[in-house]
Amino acid sequence: MNRSNRGANTNVAQMIVDIALVYLVYVFEKALFGDYLREATYLKCFALVIVFGVVYILANKEARLYDVTLFFYMDRFWKLLSKSWLLASITTIVFMYIYNPGAGARKFHLHYLLLAYVTICLNMLFSRFFQIATSNYRAPKSAFVGVFEEYEKFNYYLNKTSVRLDNVGYILKSGELEKKVFNVLGNLSDLEKILRNYEIDNIFFMIHENDNLANIQDYIDICLEMGVTVKVIMNVHGSRLMNRPNSYVSSVGTYPLITYHTITLNTYEQFIKRLADVLISLFGIIVTLPIMLITAIAIKLESPGPILFRQTRVGQNGRNFSIYKFRSMCENAESLKKDLMDKNEMDEVMFSIKNDPRVTKVGKFIRRTSIDELPQFFNVIKGDMSIVGTRPPTLDEVSQYRRSQWRRISIKPGITGMWQVSGRNDITSFEKVVELDLEYIDNWSLMLDFKIILKTVKVLISRRGAY
């Protein structure tokens, strides 16, 4: 397994916002005082802004201001931000007087420093309110093993941080609760069923002083086998921590927190992947828009029915979403599928036929050229899919998954992936598909995504495995 936990608790979005603000304040001041400085002087001013920004961001990082587990107390944040601003200001002032860029540049930069401080303070307030308002948007769905009262103090601490969670409910260790004063999902003995039914991303366990850690080991293994992240809250005074290569230790308030995972937790790379997904999709939509318009007209002229084919697919950790494709089959294709099951060329769960009688003439062409998948760029922009990921399965397929196969949907499905560049429909073994998907999950990196995208272009040109 190739896993790095570097930056797992880093608030990358806030860091990007701060970098943007450093530059935007410069642009704003340049617009205000654009008449009295020459362009060469502005270059000197911009060099000072770069120095200010680098020192300011590094000082914030050193003060853990970008750590999502840091408690947000307004007076504490204000003091830490002020210290970072002061350090960055003194550094640039020293640079300014050593290299003497001129009186105009000195005046400009002093104005910049004051304006930057006001902006930093306002951003502190706005960012916190924005975080509260969007705290449930695409937050990881989480379940807590135990009862509400056990987690009351932990949740109190958690609410003071920037950690985003969607609390789905609680899983009882055993027995039944007489009065269900909180949302009970079931018993721990039904953990696998709960993970399947509630689209769970994270499971929390609370460990007390006298608990035997071995008692939860089997449940941790179940979660990891299914690709669900486990967080063990150590409500103990000692240091009896479980160490595994796919884990890291952090803390929330006074609670040490051990996280076990099989998917990447590196927020830097996750941010870059999401940004690349959006940019590539927007570029793809713009470039292929004429092709999509011609395809839409051809589909409408050849056969009755909608231009787009919408089907419910299963996304990350069991979330359902509607996938978009250009319709390549006759209008009643789904109802005819049951009559063709005996001709299925894939083993076990997946369904595929090389010469599918339901495919139209236009459909054959757009399938061979993969034009039918162009509308999935909109799925990527919505956040249901990624450019590179695992193959998006149907509801019927997922209902037949064994526990070990569930992990292939622990990440977002992709338009392309290891399956598509390794033979696509030429691969008739579902176990081989799972093997390729898990290989991708276990070895994920930005470089691997880049290599798969390049291989996809080659596959599209050769039309290998497409029918």
Side-chain angles (χ1 to χ4, degrees):
M1 179 179 292
N2 178 24
R3 284 287 168 264
S4 170
N5 293 312
R6 179 172 51 85
N9 277 340
T10 303
N11 191 340
V12 176
Q14 186 59 58
M15 188 184 294
I16 297 296
V17 168
D18 286 350
I19 293 172
L21 285 177
V22 167
Y23 176 71
L24 289 175
V25 171
Y26 167 77
V27 173
F28 178 71
E29 190 179 358
K30 185 178 178 182
L32 286 179
F33 304 102
D35 297 332
Y36 77 90
L37 291 180
R38 293 177 301 169
E39 194 63 35
T41 306
Y42 275 122
L43 291 176
K44 296 177 182 178
C45 293
F46 186 59
L48 290 171
V49 169
I50 292 175
V51 174
F52 173 87
V54 170
V55 176
Y56 175 70
I57 298 299
L58 290 177
N60 281 348
K61 201 169 187 314
E62 181 64 25
R64 294 184 59 238
L65 283 169
Y66 300 126
D67 192 329
V68 294
T69 62
L70 183 67
F71 286 179
F72 184 88
Y73 291 115
M74 195 166 292
D75 59 335
R76 182 187 300 178
F77 257 68
W78 175 75
K79 287 178 183 178
L80 293 174
L81 286 170
S82 296
K83 285 181 181 179
S84 297
W85 172 84
L86 187 61
L87 178 62
S89 298
I90 291 173
T91 303
T92 53
I93 288 172
V94 169
F95 268 87
M96 186 167 59
Y97 281 95
I98 289 176
Y99 295 104
N100 191 21
R106 287 198 295 271
K107 179 182 177 183
F108 180 93
H109 191 64
L110 290 174
H111 286 162
Y112 171 84
L113 293 178
L114 293 174
L115 190 58
Y117 184 69
V118 173
T119 306
I120 286 167
C121 293
L122 291 174
N123 179 55
M124 177 187 69
L125 297 174
F126 175 79
S127 295
R128 183 58 178 173
F129 289 131
F130 180 78
Q131 175 194 320
I132 294 172
T134 60
S135 59
N136 289 329
Y137 177 71
R138 292 192 178 275
K141 292 189 174 183
S142 304
F144 295 79
V145 176
V147 294
F148 172 79
E149 288 76 16
E150 282 187 307
Y151 292 93
E152 214 166 358
K153 185 178 179 182
F154 176 76
N155 282 323
Y156 170 78
Y157 287 146
L158 202 62
N159 290 333
K160 291 180 176 295
T161 70
S162 300
V163 177
R164 296 166 58 246
L165 290 180
D166 179 6
N167 187 345
V168 177
Y170 297 82
I171 302 172
L172 300 181
K173 294 176 183 176
S174 62
E176 295 183 2
L177 199 69
E178 291 183 3
K179 295 182 180 179
K180 293 189 177 181
V181 293
F182 52 84
N183 188 23
V184 176
L185 306 180
N187 286 333
L188 194 55
S189 57
D190 298 322
L191 180 60
E192 182 179 341
K193 181 180 177 182
I194 292 170
L195 296 180
R196 289 175 179 267
N197 292 342
Y198 290 95
E199 306 166 359
I200 302 295
D201 301 303
N202 296 325
I203 288 285
F204 285 81
F205 289 89
M206 176 79 77
I207 296 298
H208 301 285
E209 186 70 40
N210 298 318
D211 288 344
N212 186 352
L213 300 180
N215 291 340
I216 68 167
Q217 191 62 60
D218 289 343
Y219 298 110
I220 291 176
D221 291 338
I222 288 173
C223 292
L224 295 182
E225 188 177 359
M226 297 179 70
V228 176
T229 298
V230 177
K231 296 180 182 290
V232 180
I233 306 163
M234 305 298 290
N235 190 13
V236 297
H237 299 292
S239 58
R240 300 178 298 152
L241 303 180
M242 296 173 288
N243 293 310
R244 289 165 61 147
N246 57 342
S247 67
Y248 79 98
V249 181
S250 57
S251 64
V252 174
T254 59
Y255 291 100
L257 189 69
I258 309 173
T259 300
Y260 301 97
H261 59 103
T262 60
I263 59 173
T264 181
L265 299 174
N266 188 324
T267 52
Y268 297 103
E269 292 183 325
Q270 286 179 342
F271 180 85
I272 295 172
K273 180 177 174 68
R274 178 58 185 157
L275 181 63
D277 282 344
V278 173
L279 293 178
I280 293 173
S281 296
L282 289 174
F283 177 78
I285 290 170
I286 293 170
V287 170
T288 63
L289 188 58
I291 298 174
M292 287 196 279
L293 289 174
I294 294 170
T295 302
I297 294 171
I299 291 171
K300 204 65 180 174
L301 289 175
E302 185 190 19
S303 64
I307 294 170
L308 289 179
F309 171 71
R310 293 180 177 88
Q311 186 182 42
T312 301
R313 293 290 182 98
V314 181
Q316 187 173 16
N317 287 325
R319 291 168 173 80
N320 293 344
F321 71 98
S322 293
I323 195 172
Y324 305 129
K325 287 187 175 186
F326 280 121
R327 181 172 59 83
S328 59
M329 294 183 176
C330 56
E331 192 175 6
N332 59 338
E334 284 298 298
S335 61
L336 296 175
K337 181 179 177 180
K338 60 180 181 296
D339 298 326
L340 300 170
M341 291 302 294
D342 59 334
K343 298 180 181 179
N344 185 18
E345 296 172 9
M346 296 288 291
D347 65 2
E348 295 191 54
V349 226
M350 295 169 62
F351 178 83
S352 181
I353 303 175
K354 189 168 186 178
N355 295 308
D356 196 322
R358 300 172 299 166
V359 179
T360 62
K361 292 179 181 178
V362 172
K364 287 181 181 179
F365 175 76
I366 62 176
R367 280 185 163 211
R368 289 283 294 171
T369 54
S370 296
I371 291 174
D372 63 320
E373 297 184 356
L374 291 179
Q376 289 174 35
F377 283 132
F378 293 98
N379 284 119
V380 175
I381 291 176
K382 285 176 62 180
D384 295 325
M385 294 180 66
S386 181
I387 294 295
V388 183
T390 56
R391 177 189 167 276
T394 64
L395 294 173
D396 290 341
E397 291 175 18
V398 174
S399 66
Q400 301 176 60
Y401 278 6
R402 299 191 302 273
R403 182 196 296 171
S404 59
Q405 295 168 339
W406 185 267
R407 189 159 72 90
R408 72 180 295 266
I409 58 171
S410 61
I411 63 170
K412 288 182 182 179
I415 295 178
T416 186
M418 294 288 280
W419 174 68
Q420 288 89 335
V421 301
S422 301
R424 207 169 171 181
N425 289 315
D426 288 343
I427 300 174
T428 58
S429 169
F430 178 66
E431 284 297 336
K432 180 62 177 177
V433 175
V434 173
E435 181 184 327
L436 289 169
D437 285 340
L438 295 185
E439 179 185 341
Y440 172 75
I441 293 170
D442 288 338
N443 296 284
W444 180 83
S445 67
L446 293 172
M447 183 55 67
L448 179 58
D449 275 6
F450 180 68
K451 290 178 180 177
I452 289 175
I453 290 172
L454 291 181
K455 287 182 179 179
T456 301
V457 176
K458 182 179 177 180
V459 169
L460 290 175
I461 294 172
S462 65
R463 301 181 186 180
R464 178 190 171 196
Y467 55 79

